[in-house]
Amino acid sequence: MFRKRPPPEEERRVRANDREYNEKFHYASNCIMTSKYNIITFLPVNLFEQFQEVANTYFLFLLILQLIPQISSLSWFTTIVPLALVLSVTAVKDATDDYFRHKSDNHVNNRQSQVLIHGSLQNEKWMNVRVGDIIKLENNQFVAADVLLLSSSEPHGLCYIETAELDGETNMKVRQSVSVTSELGDQNNLALFDGEVVCEPPNNKLDRFCGTLYWQDKKYSLTNQNMLLRGCVLRNTEACYGLVIFAGPDTKLMQNSGRTKFKRTSIDRLMNTLVLWIFCFLVCMGVILAVGNAVWEREVGSLFQSYLPWDPPVDNFLFSAFLSFWSYIIILNTVVPISLYVSVEVIRLGHSYFINWDEKMFCSQCNTAAEARTTTLNEELGQVEYIFSDKTGTLTQNIMSFNKCSINGQTYGEVTDPFGPQPKRLDFTPFNSLADPDFCFYDDTLLESVKVGDSHTHEFFRLLSLCHTVMSEEKSEGQLVYKAQSPDERALVTAARNFGFVFRSRTPGTITTTEMGRPVTYTLLAILDFNNIRKRMSVIVRHPDGSIRLYCKGADTVLLERLHPSNQELMNITSDHLNEYAADGLRTLALAYRDLSEDEWESWSESHHYADKAANCREDRLAAVYEEIEQDMMLLGATAIEDKLQAGVPETIAVLSLANIKIWVLTGDKQETAVNIGYSCKMLTDDMTEVFIIDGHTVQSVRQELRKARRRMIETSQIRDGGKEAVLEGCGETSCMGNVFREGHQGGREKQTQCPTPLPSAPRPSPSNNLMDTISGEFALVISGQSLAHALEADMEMEFLSTACACKAVICCRVTPMQKAQVVELIKKHKKAVTLAIGDGANDVSMIKSAHIGVGISGQEGIQAALASDYSFSQFRFLQRLLLVHGRWSYLRMCRFLCYFFYKNFAFTMVHFWFGFFCGFSAQTVYDQYFITLYNIVYTSLPVLAMGIFDQDVPDQRSLEYPKLYEPGQLNLLFNKREFFICIAQGIFTSVVLFFVPYAILSNATQSTGVPLADYQTFAVTTATALVIVVNVQIALDTGFWTVINYVFVLGSLGSYFTIMIALHSQTLFRIFPNQFHFVGSVQSTLLQPVVWLTIALATAICIVPVLACRFLKVDLKPQLSDTVRYTQLVLQKKRKLVVRSTGGTWHRAGSMSEGRLGARGGSRRSGYAFAHQEGFGELITSGKNMRLSSLALATFASKHSSSWIDTLRRKKHTHTPPCASGECSPVPSSVSASVQPLSNSSSVLGGSQDIPVEEEMGIAVAQTQIDLISSTQIKAASVLTSDTAAPQASGQAHDAGTLTPTAAKPNGEDSLGGWMIALGTVQEVLFGWKNRPAASNNHDSPSLAEETSPTE
């Protein structure tokens, strides 16, 4: 714990098989520790953390004061017992959380690894592995540390790994050992290996490693291609050996994991501030009463010294005032009782159990329930403004399926009749014995086309079976296992397999298939490999008949431009199909072929040979040769693969967006894949104004692109708003060059719009925040990891932040785990907004720990994210319910609880303050000490606990249907400093009434016998009884949702008060404890007096009637959205009952609209291309390095082909990819439109059919006047999920007019009648006069809604 930290490393030196040499550097062991405490440090560290809470320190101070008998008028146990309880409960909770961290750490640290020690392999725990050890890894094992690959069971020292836990990608990646060590396969040779590695110090860069191996007086350079990182899984490799370079906390995985942080909610931080304020207020009251005591003792008290002397320590009025000050501090401390914190913990625990018990968040497929792994953040779930989500495994299932295709102008895979019976899944077994039984396809017309021998269909699937880099393994006859570098390729080859074109095996020079039941072997002449610039790959094969053909597949944006002119008509048809597939969020590839003559092949082969052997610019020469042959191709068709989203992802994102929650996707995937998923889940839509791509390689280029994006936003916004003046006011300091903004795309080519040239004399500052806040329109930002690294630098982060926050959607691609955490920290630092991070892999742990709230998905990438999270469940769609239902309710309940708690305690405590002016400032209490002790524990604790645990303003279904109900939490409207002062003002008013009304009445009142009632005990009982009744009536008014428990607790609190008070003043207790209970029968005699009950009734009425009047006027004149929703619900329920009675229970339901594709497409279109493939596998296959051939065959083949594929990969890693100058880099958004098509009233927001309730048919408008107030921006947000675009409305209809928007969400298929989307901003502006956010209209020609509709209609 107190060990001195070693100095930072400048370089690392590791010698193989020499622990003694390596230990002198004091490198970290391979033991990891994510826990916070151990047995020794738990108590001091945990208490230190708990006393960081101002309240705990405050109560400890009061406890010390109460131990001084001269100033304490209350027993010490009234403070120490609840304080110890709070500290103990919190400590147990923290210990439990840390126990599970220890358990997880032990599970990882105790994994077994084979370590080469003294020439033999020995099983060692991971925690005992040391830097410099040589370890053996076997297939499907996790890599124990960051190791240098020395040798492998595969040829040429190759091995395959899966890096899902590092970067979220499930594609297999290839690594290769240094050639000089690849022959050290035998453990005896490895035991003699004494090479020394000098490399960079530990860092968090996953894609970079730089080092040098010194062995046998030679040195060999090392790169990331030679490293296996901790967290990777060895795949398709029998075994390999590696030298441990970094261990434990020094590994790149742990360097990216981030530290476990102590998280607090904003309410906790606010309460700390309020406690300080209250303490200052308490000191002020103590000073006032102490000054009063000094004055009274000097002027009046001195006259009573003969029979009322001062206590022995007191010898003057000043010292008496000093002691009185501390006495009043103790008496008045109940303005913030310790029971407040006990109650808060109990309420949070209850909310956590509600999350755990929610059956609607239970996944039956994986038998996993939602789990609240912390109890301290529940109310923060109701205040989230930013969600940062991983992609792979979080939004998607990471499963690719062949969904649709277009062949020779004919599309297949469409469901022709959505109203008809569901088509059956095709059974390929009778047709093809080699078919994959797990393959799903439903369109039998494609299978029939194959069966009848359609030449285009056969050529289509022949291309899919030949043009790939998949390896095949046939474990038994017909049992094929495809080892694909990307899931896309596996899906395409599997589709060809099921339709009769089965890829069986390959050698470096041949590909063997089974076509329609007969074996065919093709000669593989060349593979034109894929890379991110070419966006395509090709193979050249010789058919058995001797003909030569090139097969090509790739992005439609690049492949369609390389077709023969005779393909124009077919290209137009296929382009339409590609548009449809892209609109459905499918990943598309175009397919084409070209026949080559023998002379063409010979000539090109010679050019290719020279380019391949070129010493300089080899990659550029090869690209030029590839470009030469990939021309004048004939189009075959296109494929559409579905990267299956998790169920409900688009609906969840749309509803969360309507709740004003911004969603950013941070993924390690490549740009095309991430953008495609963005369209699939409707984060990106074709109706967006513009999608900006930021992919600069330098700080200056990134700054230019960000500024141009902001300038473009302002220009577009001003054009949309009809104002073209001052376009250049927000321009940056750079001229308009380099990046060109995409406005449209026709035929694969872009229209380019240059920024207007600024005046030379005019300064060009960056767009101000005010300008950025007024932007209208929907923009999206896509930024790559290398650009993000520059954007997160100190002098650039505000540029990036202002641009990104003006966008509706932000997607960050190719980001490292640490960059994910940095983006979250950036928002936390500058936006002061509550952030939530959600992910499922170890690469998401740092992001989850950095955010205010971390959510883990227990998915395919392990449980690391779930273990590090605050909440976990199995499906992304449950996030909607977690936030909009549980989060909103938790925030609402906690706010109501705190408001009421401060109110009731000020009402209780301030009575002592007023009483001080009538008791000579003697620190005498109004109530007896038993009432003071039991007030917050028994008399008023249970009703407020019931409200804090069970209360709700609207049902859960309404919370999902009206996402705008979530906004008060984001704006912190329900509990803030203003609400706090209102609560304490009400409490002080109540205390004034409770003191002075009984005082005024009882001072002159008498019993029926003529005995005066103006005695201390009668006054105390009357005031206490009125207080208990008033606060219980108040809690009844504050409770919005009544359960049996609420009734029992409210009535039980009143009953317990009277029972305990009568018992405490009974003869029985007096006989047992005569020194403790002096006032025998005073309660009974007081409560039997009618004047006492009239006094209590009057005080209650004076306290409660103003509250009722204010609430009635507020609901009537200035209703909240929840008030409107409740009122609407009540009206519709009453009307429904009337209709059911009048129609005999028969419902008339309107017809449903069929599901269709999103939006109508004009001339512009975007590409749905996405292909998760890695460069280098083509050369790997043709080199034969990944195939087990005989040494003779391999030597013969190697003499004809290049063996420098790994060098190509290495050079690619160190060269910058030039930015694209055309639209091939990104999807092209549709052109800017100044009008928005309104939604169809009969189309569901979620894309399904919507039944029109009978109330709408009857024209009920009682409660719909306010509901109809929906802004055009709300309509556009809801239209993201609309299944069919509504027909254009009449020209006289204003686009901004209110449009009824149907139900936002129907979980579990529930029907919800009368549920409408509400734009909170519009309702507030029109009904309440609030204008929280500037909103820009999309059409200035149409009258505003506020002008058309008056609040009284």
Side-chain angles (χ1 to χ4, degrees), residues 821-840:
Q822 289 172 345
V823 172
V824 175
E825 291 290 352
L826 181 66
I827 295 295
K828 287 173 61 178
K829 176 181 176 182
H830 295 289
K831 301 300 291 185
K832 306 299 182 185
V834 177
T835 58
L836 181 147
I838 179 170
D840 71 322

Side-chain angles (χ1 to χ4, degrees), residues 359 361-370 874-875 877-878:
E359 294 182 354
M361 295 174 67
F362 176 79
C363 179
S364 57
Q365 294 179 349
C366 51
N367 195 32
T368 304
S874 60
Q875 295 286 323
R877 60 189 170 93
F878 295 148

